[in-house]
Amino acid sequence: MVDSRFPGFEEIYDPNSHNEAYLHISMNNRISGFGTHWERIKNYCLDNNISLRGVFAPESTSTFASDYLNQVIHDMKENSCDTLIVSSITQFGRNTTRAMTDIKKLIDAGITVFSVQNGDLSDVCNDFSPLLAEADAESDIEDEQEDGFVLSM
């Protein structure tokens, strides 16, 4: 089934493809940002003879989009899809730590994450791993509470 929100999708649609696309559209740029990101993905696929099985497009806050990734991973595994195409890293959020954490989660699940703007994100994520470990440690500290106050370093 072709979604009318994605003009030209029928040109790259293949129900047997192992590729999916992911577009995160925040509530405040739903109209302007949506078309730009979709056009980047569609044109990249057309220029490189890549087909898509579908498009994940949560319309929500960044927190919901991060939680939505569990569903994306499940659906991709269920449909034997192994590559997720995004227009840029920013599709995972403006917070770099959160974005890289989400990308690492996909990679750890065996899904290649490919950015039209940045290429295969596996190397980027591997280079970022030490920083993610530091961010996780800081997050643990921030979560600890003492006398009703959140400790932050």
Side-chain angles (χ1 to χ4, degrees):
M1 184 164 100
V2 176
D3 191 325
S4 63
R5 295 179 298 167
F6 309 112
F9 180 69
E10 65 280 351
E11 297 174 60
I12 54 176
Y13 171 70
D14 178 356
N16 299 313
S17 175
H18 292 271
N19 306 310
E20 301 267 4
Y22 178 82
L23 293 164
H24 170 244
I25 308 303
S26 65
M27 294 304 259
N28 46 352
N29 80 349
R30 179 187 296 164
I31 296 170
S32 62
F34 186 83
T36 303
H37 291 291
W38 168 243
E39 285 297 316
R40 284 184 195 154
I41 291 171
K42 180 186 76 172
N43 290 337
Y44 181 82
C45 288
L46 287 170
D47 292 346
N48 293 282
N49 198 29
I50 296 170
S51 60
L52 294 176
R53 180 184 177 102
V55 179
F56 295 102
E59 296 177 13
S60 61
T61 64
S62 59
T63 303
F64 176 83
S66 182
D67 295 340
Y68 184 76
L69 286 182
N70 290 330
Q71 186 64 42
V72 170
I73 291 169
H74 172 78
D75 289 353
M76 289 186 73
K77 291 294 185 184
E78 192 171 271
N79 291 310
S80 299
C81 292
D82 55 17
T83 303
L84 187 67
I85 300 172
V86 297
S87 67
S88 72
I89 293 174
T90 61
Q91 285 294 282
F92 291 97
R94 295 182 198 277
N95 177 316
T96 305
T97 302
R98 169 176 248 143
M100 296 310 278
T101 300
D102 289 346
I103 292 166
K104 184 168 179 357
K105 186 175 184 179
L106 288 158
I107 292 168
D108 288 348
I111 297 168
T112 300
V113 181
F114 185 87
S115 163
V116 170
Q117 184 177 4
N118 308 97
D120 185 345
L121 297 180
S122 298
D123 291 335
V124 173
C125 193
N126 288 336
D127 294 343
F128 200 71
S129 289
L131 297 175
L132 285 177
E134 287 177 31
D136 286 343
E138 287 179 18
S139 174
D140 290 343
I141 291 169
E142 289 175 2
D143 289 342
E144 294 177 14
Q145 292 190 7
E146 182 176 290
D147 297 328
F149 293 97
V150 175
L151 297 176
S152 181
M153 303 226 171

